[in-house]
Each structure stands twice: as C-alpha cells, then as structure tokens.
Amino acid sequence: MIDIIPAIDLIDGKCVRLTKGDYSRKKVYNDDPVAQAKEFERQGFRRLHVVDLDGAKSKHIVNDDVLRRITNATGLKVDFGGGIKTDEDIEKAFAAGAAMVTVGSIAVTKPDLFIDWLNRYGADRLILGADVRNGKVSINGWKEDSAEELLPFLKKYVEAGVRNVLCTDISKDGTLQGPARELYKQIMAKYPHLNVIASGGVSGNEDLAGLAADGIPSAIVGKAWYEGRISAEKCRNLMGFNANKGLAKRIIPCLDVKNGETVKGTNFVNLRSAGDPVELGKLYSDSGADELVFLDITASYEGRKTFTDMVTRVAKEINIPFTVGGGINELSDVKRLLDAGADKVSVNSAAIRRPELINEIASEYGSQVCVCAIDARNDADGWHCYIKGGRERVELGLFDWAKEVAERGAGEILFTSMDHDGVKEGFANEALARLSEEVPIPIIASGGAGKMEHFRDAFVDGKADAALAASVFHFGEIQIPDLKEYLRNEGINVRI
C-alpha cells in the first residue's frame, strides 16, 4: 500500500501548478482551493499537501487564511509548507489548522532553528523538505541551489530524530515524465525507517503503483490529478481504501509460541497445543489473513534461539507482514528479529519498565516497526495495565499509557482485554472505541473473538483498525475466507 496525498499549490489564493519550479510557467486549475479540498475529501483522500508558493517566494507565510478555511471546511489532515522561516510563521501555520508543517530552506540556512522546532513540536508534526536539483538541495521556492548534497543532508537530520521527509526532484516536477524512483529507492535503502514522501513527475496510476511496489510509503499527486490522468478509484485501491467505508480492516491471526509449538489458553492460563507455527502461518497467509503476530511466551535464552530460527522459517514461507514479540528488551533484540525476517516487533512489559525503548525503536527503525502491546483488565478501580504475561498489575491506567506510547512514537497499539481473552464472548468494544477516539494511531483489538459477529462489532462499535484472534482460527471454528465474506456483506471494507 501507499499513502497518496493530493496537492494544492497556492499563488494569489488560487490552485496552480508550476513546471520545474518555474513561476513563469504556472497554470491555474481552480480559483477556489476550499472547493478543491472538499472534492479531494469527497473522493476519499485523507490527507492534503498545501504549498504556499507566495510564501516561499516572499520568505514568510502568506496564505495562512486559505489554510484556515480549508481546515475549517474539511476533515483532511493537512501538511503545509512554503515561507516557514520564523517562529511566527510556524505558529501561524499550526494555529491555522496544519497537522504537519514542511520545512526545507530553514533546515539548510538555520539548522539550529530547525532542530529547535523538531524538539519543540515533535518529529510527528514536522516534515523535512528536501527539494533536489542536480543532487543538491534547493531553497527559497526552488529559486536557489545550496551546497548541501542530499544524502549527507538527510543523515544529519535523521540522526537528530527526523521521521518524515518530503523529497522532490525538481527536474521531474510538473513534467508528467515519471517520478525519480531510483532516487527514492536510494533513500529508502539508506534509511528504511523513514516516511519518505515522493513528489514530482507522477504521470498516472502506473507511476503510483510503481512507487508502491518499491516500498515508498507516500506520494504526492498534483498535475496528473488535475489533468485527469489519475483514477480516484485506483488511488483508493492502492491505499487499501474505500471512499465509502474507510481503510480496509485487517484480520490478524495470533500465534503464541512455546518451545517451538503454537499454544492457546483462557485468560492467559490453561495452555493447550494448536500445532506447528510455521505451518499455521503459511495456512493463514494462503487463506487471506492480512498480517500475522507471533509471540514468544517463554522467552528464555534457549527459547529465543528457537524462536529466532522459527522467525527465519516463517519469513521464507509467507508473503504477508508479520509481527513478533516476547523477550524484547533492547535494540539488539529488535535487530535480531528484523534480521531474521520479521516486519514489526511488539513490546509490552519491557516498554512499561523502560518507556524510552519505544522512542529508541521508532528512532532507529521507524514507527511502523514498533507495535506496543497492552494487556489490561477492567478492575474495580478502572482499566489497569498488566505485565509478565498478565501476572502482575502495574499502577498505570490503560488510556494514559496508550496516549504515552503514541507520543513516544509507537506505530500501533495491540490492546488485549484480559477479561475477554479466550472467553469468546466478544471484544471489549467500549474500551476499544475510547482508545480509537483518544489515540491517533491504529488500534488492534484482541481478546474475546468467538463468532463472526464479534469481529463486526469490534470494527463498528469498537472502531478498531484490526482484529486479532487465535483459537477460533487455530481450531477451525472460523475460516478466514468465510469471515471476510461475512464482513463484506455487513458493509465492512476488507481485502478479499
């Protein structure tokens, strides 16, 4: 999948496109940027990239009023750039409703100020703009070329904590001659954890599909969209998105692994064997599961070796993403499992003991790698977190901890209700809904699946982004193709 972000470039309050950054080669596509933004939202896009070209040329924000009107009129998550040179400029952008701000020139001319903003506003609200011409970073609305070479420029700021980079090959921009795929692949090879946003040259859906195949996380579309070369429906397919139903919901089998075999219990106890994890993983992959989770529930030293060998075998057998967890206490554990073939890692007890672990994983490998598992029980005094496989309560509330892990950079939360685990009476939908409303990252529901209706309720009532289950899949009570067909008939967007 790839996140596709339509663009509105502003000159004199109108939607325009330039060619190769040349202000004399502009074309006006819409006199009303608010109407254009509403149309993007209607087509199913969730994000919007707005560039204040007047601001870039004037070296101070100009079109903050247009930004404010767009954010007031739509629910789009807007990244805004152009003319962000001072504290006053960046504060204006955020005050006008920008969810993120793209900063380019200042990162070249005033690196200390950029680092200050990065620390002040956080890596999730700042995008490093890297506009490239002949291998050098350009500044001030592409009118000047700096002496900064691209990769050393990126290295400096990745080490400072940057997570989002918008890279535009100026020679491609507005030409409809295809994006700079080799350039983006070079960046991703060097910094695989970055959220690289590709910009410039997209001529149609085939280019977007190519970027998605290259593993580029995000891409901006401009001229190709305005000139009718891009199908909104194909964009939604590439994003795994249906305009009427939202992001596709994921079905995730979970395999708890002990001494090399899959086990399952009730309320975290009374374990029984469910089969070989590699064979089960391949079966689920072939049956249409969206992802898998493997948890090493007895992560002793010897267990880790056995588990790592299993991860290597799983990676050779399946073609869907999978997460592994259990016994992850430091970055070396993460590296061991990623090197073995895992796509993501799940941390739980270790993150509660040392929350900085989340920051370290996100910084080193990217937020998309870090899944924070939270085991919680609804006690007499409210929802509380538990560690050590649910054996020990900590004085940490579920919702406060969930917000903290998101702020620290986790990419997803895997929430297991201990009250519901293995009981097969449905997920903790009230708590799920609250998490989904209060926490800005995807929530995976876990604990309580017993029948197909429970998955539907987790998505509809619990507002979960994914649902995880174990025994109903392991023991053949629910078949994944049947479940997906049922959910689709219930109006829930799933990949078939």
Side-chain angles (χ1 to χ4, degrees):
M1 291 190 300
I2 186 169
D3 195 8
I4 300 171
I5 310 167
I8 290 178
D9 291 356
L10 296 170
I11 291 181
D12 298 329
K14 299 176 181 179
C15 302
V16 307
R17 296 301 293 176
L18 306 181
T19 299
K20 296 185 179 181
D22 186 344
Y23 280 72
S24 68
R25 298 170 67 188
K26 76 176 182 183
K27 183 174 181 179
V28 176
Y29 285 98
N30 196 322
D31 290 340
D32 187 347
V34 176
Q36 183 62 65
K38 286 181 176 180
E39 175 60 16
F40 285 136
E41 186 173 43
R42 190 187 70 79
Q43 292 287 353
F45 293 100
R46 304 175 304 261
R47 291 181 61 183
L48 177 65
H49 180 65
V50 176
V51 181
D52 183 355
L53 290 176
D54 292 317
K57 195 172 184 179
S58 303
K59 300 185 181 181
H60 63 84
I61 191 170
V62 172
N63 284 295
D64 52 310
D65 180 60
V66 179
L67 170 63
R68 181 176 289 102
R69 288 190 287 119
I70 289 172
T71 57
N72 285 342
T74 73
L76 293 167
K77 179 179 179 181
V78 179
D79 359 304
F80 181 85
I84 308 295
K85 307 293 185 185
T86 65
D87 284 343
E88 182 182 5
D89 289 324
I90 197 168
E91 287 165 8
K92 272 187 179 181
F94 283 129
M100 306 176 79
V101 166
T102 300
V103 178
S105 300
I106 285 298
V108 175
T109 60
K110 296 182 179 179
D112 290 343
L113 179 58
F114 180 83
I115 295 294
D116 177 56
W117 288 348
L118 185 65
N119 293 331
R120 199 187 316 171
Y121 297 106
D124 290 329
R125 300 192 73 195
L126 218 62
I127 301 171
L128 174 63
D131 301 326
V132 184
R133 181 162 41 209
N134 300 321
K136 301 288 181 68
V137 178
S138 292
I139 59 175
N140 295 329
W142 302 351
K143 298 194 303 298
E144 303 172 37
D145 291 337
S146 74
E148 294 271 8
E149 297 282 350
L150 176 62
L151 288 179
F153 175 74
L154 294 181
K155 181 176 186 293
K156 173 172 57 179
Y157 288 117
V158 168
E159 290 175 350
V162 161
R163 296 178 192 158
N164 305 285
V165 172
L166 192 161
C167 184
T168 304
D169 184 335
I170 298 169
S171 69
K172 300 279 189 178
D173 190 72
T175 65
L176 301 176
Q177 294 177 358
R181 289 175 62 179
E182 292 304 316
L183 173 65
Y184 303 131
K185 286 194 284 187
Q186 184 182 9
I187 297 171
M188 292 296 295
K190 186 75 173 175
Y191 304 110
H193 65 283
L194 274 182
N195 175 34
V196 174
I197 306 168
S199 174
V202 171
S203 65
N205 291 94
E206 295 78 10
D207 287 334
L208 294 170
L211 290 168
D214 293 339
I216 309 304
S218 307
I220 287 174
V221 294
K223 188 174 184 178
W225 173 271
Y226 291 109
E227 300 204 347
R229 293 168 173 257
I230 290 176
S231 157
E233 182 179 358
K234 289 182 179 178
C235 281
R236 292 192 291 267
N237 289 339
L238 286 170
M239 292 190 290
F241 183 79
N242 178 294
N244 298 317
K245 300 172 187 174
L247 281 171
K249 303 297 185 179
R250 291 170 287 151
I251 302 298
I252 307 177
C254 179
L255 299 90
D256 293 340
V257 180
K258 179 180 181 182
N259 300 326
E261 67 174 355
T262 309
V263 296
K264 182 55 188 165
T266 301
N267 300 128
F268 286 30
V269 296
N270 302 322
L271 302 178
R272 56 176 172 152
S273 176
D276 177 74
V278 181
E279 292 180 2
L280 275 175
K282 187 175 188 309
L283 173 65
Y284 293 141
S285 177
D286 294 342
S287 297
D290 297 293
E291 297 182 18
L292 297 173
V293 171
F294 294 86
L295 299 178
D296 182 358
I297 64 172
T298 54
S300 64
Y301 176 77
E302 283 301 317
R304 286 184 183 183
K305 184 179 186 305
T306 300
F307 188 73
T308 304
D309 291 343
M310 182 214 71
V311 170
T312 301
R313 290 189 293 128
V314 168
K316 292 177 180 177
E317 293 290 338
I318 72 170
N319 58 7
I320 59 175
F322 70 100
T323 300
V324 295
I328 297 173
N329 297 298
E330 54 192 27
L331 284 180
S332 62
D333 296 321
V334 179
K335 183 178 188 303
R336 168 174 54 86
L337 294 167
L338 295 180
D339 288 347
D343 297 280
K344 310 176 192 178
V345 297
S346 172
V347 292
N348 189 342
S349 300
I352 288 179
R353 288 193 298 267
R354 193 172 70 84
E356 295 81 8
L357 178 62
I358 297 169
N359 304 72
E360 292 167 5
I361 296 171
S363 177
E364 183 70 18
Y365 298 106
S367 292
Q368 76 281 0
V369 166
C370 185
V371 179
C372 189
I374 303 178
D375 299 332
R377 176 178 284 139
N378 192 9
D379 296 329
D381 55 346
W383 283 96
H384 278 272
C385 301
Y386 283 72
I387 60 173
K388 299 180 180 178
R391 294 187 294 275
E392 180 181 318
R393 169 174 154 155
V394 294
E395 292 308 307
L396 194 60
L398 165 63
F399 303 103
D400 289 341
W401 175 233
K403 292 174 186 175
E404 181 176 345
V405 303
E407 290 170 358
R408 288 183 176 274
E412 293 182 285
I413 289 173
L414 170 53
F415 162 55
T416 300
S417 167
M418 296 172 59
D419 303 296
H420 296 73
D421 182 69
V423 178
K424 300 184 181 180
E425 294 182 355
F427 294 92
N429 293 324
E430 187 174 333
L432 281 169
R434 182 175 169 188
L435 284 171
S436 296
E437 290 167 358
E438 295 184 3
V439 181
I441 59 177
I443 305 297
I444 304 170
S446 171
K451 53 187 179 180
M452 295 185 190
E453 290 87 344
H454 294 155
F455 289 88
R456 177 200 61 197
D457 294 344
F459 295 137
V460 175
D461 300 331
K463 303 179 182 178
D465 299 277
L468 176 146
S471 61
V472 292
F473 297 139
H474 300 339
F475 302 117
E477 298 166 37
I478 295 177
Q479 301 295 324
I480 291 173
D482 295 340
L483 173 60
K484 288 197 163 186
E485 187 64 30
Y486 164 79
L487 291 171
R488 174 158 287 189
N489 290 337
E490 290 291 311
I492 294 168
N493 185 27
V494 292
R495 299 182 189 91
I496 299 294

